[in-house]
Amino acid sequence: MDVAKDKVTTSESPAEKYSDTEVGETTLINNAGFHRSFSPRQIHVISLGGQIGAGLFITTGSILRDGGPGSLFLGFVVVCSCVWAVLQTVSEMTIAFPTSGNFIDYADRFVDPALSFAAGFSMWIGWTAIIASEATFFSVVVNYWAENRVNEAIWLTIFLLLMFVIFSLPNTVFGWFEYVNSILKIVTLILFVIVGLAMVFGAGPDGTVHHGEAWQDGSAFLNGFKGFGNGVLLAILSIGDNTFTGFLAGESKSPRYSVAHAVILIPIRVTVFYLISVVLIGILVSPTNQNLFGSSGVAASPFVIAIDQAGISVLPDILNAVIITAVAAIAAESFFVASRILQSMAQQGLIHSYIAKVDSRGRPRVSLAITGILAIVLTYINLSAGGTTVFNWLAQVASTGYFMGSDTPTAYYFFQYMFGLVLIFGTAIGYKLIFRTKVRDLRSVDLQTGRRPLTNREIQELDGYDKMPRWRKIYSFVQLW
């Protein structure tokens, strides 16, 4: 198939291909055929609660154990500053060109189709691998109650069925699922911060006043720079890929307002929620606590350990339930992004155009089906011993470059941990050699096609917002419902 020729000979004019279409009074369809069904309020809340999951609740225990409370805190400070910088740049492009493919589209538009193909293919595999990893983690967290009385394959199947049900329904169902989960995670974190502050001063049946013992006697920074470096890399995995909101913008009713709002909210989330949480963890839990070394799943969560130390009952079970819903929400986000990446690649002509099809309800059925098949394979492959090795290699794509390193540097470990980068460079070079694409000349980059100017509706909304009293503006900014 000559995808390059397929891309050039489309019969649509640029205006027809990229402009929004209004159907009836409320349904707006974007250039790819997706319905703009996500409200600014939904994107507002999802931006605050999205990507809060097992990474924060459990992976922080590994950082504390290997690097100490100082490395835990500084690692998250470094990553939070990077999140702010990345969002500032991505948001400018997203507001001007709110496409469902997001940076996959921008890589083609501003740089080279070969880079777009390489980034799209690797990120599609990466996001799909996250679905499989979350399915596996779901079975681990559920066993906090089930205690391994049920075969793991059953939990994996239940989890995958939940994903397929969500995406067999209209996109609004996915939006509300993420919305409710985000509120639940936000409330849980706020509850932990309140309880954590109380525990610092000795609250709880078995509580004691904490004086920062974990920061004394050289325990603040364990294993030197290696402990700090590993802390930074695990913090990246904990915070996750915050470009998810950019993909949502392609199906947002008001992308200009939604993205601008989210760019402020996401740094607030990762800075305030995460940093306060890790500071409390560093005060309440010692890096030498045996539960950090000998337990798995939610039992190794520093959040649960801190609550158990204070003798507070019920809260660990509530936290476990929240982690289960958080895992499901992150898997659903990954399913959404992976399918949109694949559909965008097809729409750009990088792969077969059939995959770009969107049904009357705005669902990319073909790309969803292909993504679902890969997710099933990667999920069940974990049940075999050899399959775990294969999955670990593919999972590296999900965290391209975020490798942990090895105490025994060998070619095997190098390629395992650098597999994501090898895949990107390999596919980019291969695509370029086959289709002879050219790097975009900065003077000829298309800055008009697909640009979304302010609509009359948005101008009216902005005028209405400007006339609000200050307290109403603040209320509308923080409102979650």
Side-chain angles (χ1 to χ4, degrees):
M1 178 191 66
D2 189 349
V3 292
K5 182 178 179 181
D6 224 17
K7 182 176 179 180
V8 174
T9 57
T10 177
S11 60
E12 294 176 307
S13 67
E16 291 171 335
K17 183 177 179 182
Y18 287 94
S19 61
D20 286 350
T21 304
E22 193 162 357
V23 178
E25 295 182 357
T26 58
T27 305
L28 200 64
I29 300 178
N30 73 2
N31 58 289
F34 293 118
H35 293 185
R36 292 196 179 275
S37 51
F38 302 131
S39 69
R41 181 64 57 206
Q42 287 175 318
I43 294 181
H44 168 179
V45 175
I46 294 171
S47 298
L48 271 177
Q51 298 298 318
I52 294 176
L56 173 64
F57 292 120
I58 295 178
T59 305
T60 45
S62 300
I63 305 175
L64 179 63
R65 178 191 64 200
D66 299 330
S71 295
L72 174 65
F73 176 71
L74 291 182
F76 274 86
V77 168
V78 170
V79 177
C80 287
S81 65
C82 294
V83 168
W84 180 84
V86 169
L87 286 174
Q88 293 302 311
T89 55
V90 172
S91 64
E92 294 292 336
M93 294 182 287
T94 302
I95 290 172
F97 306 98
T99 63
S100 298
N102 203 249
F103 59 87
I104 305 303
D105 174 78
Y106 307 146
D108 183 353
R109 178 191 298 267
F110 301 125
V111 186
D112 190 310
L115 177 62
S116 181
F117 177 81
F121 183 69
S122 62
M123 292 304 293
W124 173 66
I125 293 178
W127 281 98
T128 308
I130 292 175
I131 302 171
S133 65
E134 295 298 320
T136 303
F137 199 82
F138 173 80
S139 69
V140 173
V141 178
V142 168
N143 275 319
Y144 179 76
W145 295 315
E147 298 177 346
N148 296 311
R149 291 191 294 264
V150 180
N151 189 287
E152 182 183 2
I154 295 177
W155 296 126
L156 298 180
T157 302
I158 291 173
F159 187 82
L160 289 174
L161 285 175
L162 173 62
M163 295 298 105
F164 295 144
V165 168
I166 290 173
F167 287 100
S168 67
L169 299 172
N171 287 340
T172 51
V173 174
F174 165 76
W176 284 110
F177 177 77
E178 293 293 324
Y179 177 89
V180 172
N181 268 289
S182 294
I183 289 181
L184 180 62
K185 289 184 284 185
I186 293 168
V187 171
T188 301
L189 271 184
I190 292 174
L191 176 64
F192 175 78
V193 168
I194 295 172
V195 173
L197 286 171
M199 289 191 295
V200 169
F201 295 101
D206 302 325
T208 58
V209 179
H210 295 268
H211 301 282
E213 297 86 355
W215 289 76
Q216 301 171 10
D217 302 324
S219 298
F221 296 94
L222 301 176
N223 298 315
F225 183 78
K226 180 181 178 181
F228 168 72
N230 285 348
V232 172
L233 295 172
L234 279 175
I236 293 173
L237 294 175
S238 300
I239 290 177
D241 189 341
N242 286 278
T243 59
F244 169 64
T245 305
F247 287 93
L248 278 180
E251 298 171 53
S252 168
K253 293 178 180 178
S254 180
R256 183 179 297 271
Y257 172 78
S258 301
V259 175
H261 201 181
V263 168
I264 300 175
L265 291 174
I266 293 176
I268 289 175
R269 180 243 297 171
V270 297
T271 302
V272 177
F273 288 166
Y274 280 66
L275 291 187
I276 291 178
S277 297
V278 298
V279 166
L280 289 173
I281 288 170
I283 295 173
L284 295 170
V285 181
S286 169
T288 59
N289 188 291
Q290 290 304 307
N291 285 329
L292 293 175
F293 290 86
S295 301
S296 62
V298 74
S301 168
F303 291 77
V304 173
I305 293 171
I307 295 170
D308 282 340
Q309 284 180 164
I312 301 174
S313 59
V314 181
L315 277 181
D317 291 288
I318 295 175
L319 184 60
N320 195 59
V322 171
I323 293 176
I324 288 175
T325 61
V327 165
I330 291 176
E333 292 175 10
S334 303
F335 212 136
F336 177 91
V337 174
S339 64
R340 270 53 181 182
I341 288 175
L342 201 62
Q343 194 275 345
S344 177
M345 291 175 67
Q347 190 195 18
Q348 292 170 236
L350 300 172
I351 55 179
H352 200 289
S353 59
Y354 178 77
I355 300 174
K357 287 189 174 182
V358 177
D359 67 16
S360 59
R361 288 189 166 184
R363 295 169 297 191
R365 285 288 182 88
V366 180
S367 63
L368 280 170
I370 296 174
T371 301
I373 292 171
L374 180 60
I376 292 172
V377 172
L378 293 180
T379 298
Y380 288 116
I381 204 173
N382 281 294
L383 296 175
S384 66
T388 302
T389 302
V390 174
F391 176 77
N392 287 337
W393 277 68
L394 290 174
Q396 293 301 320
V397 184
S399 54
T400 303
Y402 306 157
F403 54 94
M404 291 303 300
S406 169
D407 292 329
T408 309
T410 63
Y412 176 86
Y413 284 112
F414 173 80
F415 281 104
Q416 178 184 352
Y417 293 118
M418 297 294 288
F419 182 59
L421 292 178
V422 172
L423 180 64
I424 288 178
F425 283 112
T427 51
I429 293 171
Y431 190 93
K432 197 165 189 64
L433 291 175
I434 293 172
F435 297 108
R436 308 288 183 181
T437 61
K438 295 182 179 180
V439 176
R440 304 293 189 202
D441 186 336
L442 293 178
R443 294 169 296 182
S444 62
V445 168
D446 183 2
L447 298 177
Q448 297 302 320
T449 303
R451 179 181 291 273
R452 192 173 192 272
L454 276 170
T455 64
N456 291 331
R457 181 186 303 176
E458 288 173 326
I459 292 173
Q460 292 172 0
E461 290 174 352
L462 289 172
D463 288 342
Y465 178 82
D466 190 55
K467 294 176 182 178
M468 287 182 183
R470 186 180 297 275
W471 71 269
R472 283 291 304 276
K473 291 179 180 178
I474 296 174
Y475 176 73
S476 67
F477 182 83
V478 300
Q479 184 180 0
L480 298 181
W481 51 87

